[in-house]
Amino acid sequence: MTAQMQSLQIVGPKNMFPEVSLMEPTQSGYLMLAAEVDHRPPIGFFMPSRPKIQLLSRLKTLAQTLAADQDVLDATVFKALIIPPGRGAFLKRRPDVRIARFDVVMLLEFKSTEAANIYKATREWATLLADTKKVSHNVMSIAASNTRRIGPVDHTVDGVFLFNYFYADSLDINLQVWSYTAGWFQDQTGLDNSTVLLPQDATTIPYTIINHCRWDSLRDILPALLFNRTFKPFVLDNFEQNNTAAIPILYQLA
């Protein structure tokens, strides 16, 4: 074990799955607007409220406009498909952490972090943020960079998209345990893409990293999470052992 990995406390079965295969991170800058608009049961998001419908329409129009900007590489809007309930034992020991329940997300990818920050400072973004807060229970706006990457996430076709909002006592440990467990997802779910977002302002964002990836359908991911006997001992138990919590939400294109 290298010196870097000595602080990672590994429990459960070891060397059962290949190490994650990573690409170089992108040099892109990202802006993410996440809003908790509707309160619904875990799979009840097929009945959106009027404010949510109107917000999604506005965000999609803006995304289409921004896609023509030379500094914007991608602009995509998502709506929640499944928001799992509950929290793990680690988060129960951190009752002040707000559990992510964002049912609307817009993710913008710029050519650079500088370009992302320039747009974040515009009146257009500020107005959008203010108006979104009027119809939402909780809103998060972040600028981020890419810190780990399995492969690019395809937004050109629909599927099941994950935004996994991680909370951890240590960013370094969070990245280590993500890398250790990501091999399970590649091996057991066929995952071939992932972009890990690192928020720029850790003092105002409750989540250490946000992992974004895609599968073709729920059949590719849900059975593995619900019925695969190695998921808990290899993935969840190592999160718990290293004071790291994953707060996953599954989305589809809006």
Side-chain angles (χ1 to χ4, degrees):
M1 181 178 292
T2 66
Q4 181 185 10
M5 295 292 289
Q6 286 178 356
S7 57
L8 184 67
Q9 303 298 312
I10 296 176
V11 297
K14 299 179 182 179
N15 303 318
M16 286 186 63
F17 305 100
E19 291 186 7
V20 63
S21 176
L22 296 176
M23 300 175 63
E24 285 295 318
T26 71
Q27 298 303 307
S28 300
Y30 298 83
L31 276 184
M32 180 178 179
L33 176 66
E36 179 186 340
V37 184
D38 289 348
H39 285 164
R40 295 286 189 270
I43 57 174
F45 291 94
F46 57 88
M47 296 180 61
S49 65
R50 182 176 295 274
K52 180 174 176 176
I53 293 173
Q54 293 173 340
L55 176 61
L56 287 171
S57 177
R58 178 176 178 179
L59 293 177
K60 287 191 290 184
T61 298
L62 177 59
Q64 291 173 356
T65 301
L66 289 173
D69 189 305
Q70 63 179 1
D71 287 328
V72 177
L73 300 177
D74 187 85
T76 306
V77 180
F78 306 86
K79 58 183 180 181
L81 189 62
I82 299 175
I83 299 183
R87 64 177 73 195
F90 172 57
L91 285 180
K92 289 180 179 178
R93 300 195 300 271
R94 303 289 192 277
D96 293 338
V97 177
R98 188 162 189 169
I99 303 301
R101 294 187 175 91
F102 303 114
D103 55 320
V104 172
V105 168
M106 180 168 70
L107 183 64
L108 306 177
E109 181 181 358
F110 294 79
K111 288 183 177 180
S112 66
T113 55
E114 180 183 11
N117 283 318
I118 288 174
Y119 183 69
K120 187 182 181 184
T122 62
R123 182 182 299 274
E124 183 175 63
W125 185 258
T127 300
L128 176 65
L129 184 59
D131 291 345
T132 302
K133 289 180 178 178
K134 293 176 183 178
V135 298
S136 305
H137 302 280
N138 184 29
V139 176
M140 180 177 70
S141 168
I142 68 168
S145 58
N146 175 212
T147 183
R148 299 286 188 278
R149 185 166 69 127
I150 293 175
V153 183
D154 186 0
H155 296 154
T156 63
V157 293
D158 207 354
V160 176
F161 297 87
L162 171 70
F163 283 96
N164 207 347
Y165 306 86
F166 279 89
Y167 174 84
D169 284 347
S170 164
L171 170 61
D172 181 57
I173 291 296
N174 194 165
L175 291 171
Q176 288 186 46
V177 75
W178 178 87
S179 295
Y180 178 74
T181 58
W184 183 92
F185 286 91
Q186 281 190 313
D187 187 74
Q188 297 295 297
T189 73
L191 184 67
D192 62 0
N193 67 92
S194 176
T195 298
V196 180
L197 303 177
L198 177 65
Q200 288 184 353
D201 190 353
T203 62
T204 61
I205 302 301
Y207 311 111
T208 40
I209 59 174
I210 301 170
N211 181 39
H212 177 48
C213 57
R214 177 193 175 278
W215 291 270
D216 288 335
S217 70
L218 287 172
R219 292 190 301 272
D220 296 320
I221 179 61
L222 277 189
L225 300 183
L226 295 175
F227 305 117
N228 191 312
R229 294 182 178 180
T230 62
F231 177 57
K232 183 180 185 300
F234 192 86
V235 179
L236 297 183
D237 287 354
N238 276 291
F239 287 163
E240 185 72 27
Q241 179 67 25
N242 288 279
N243 286 350
T244 299
I247 310 171
I249 300 179
L250 297 176
Y251 298 82
Q252 60 188 127
L253 297 180

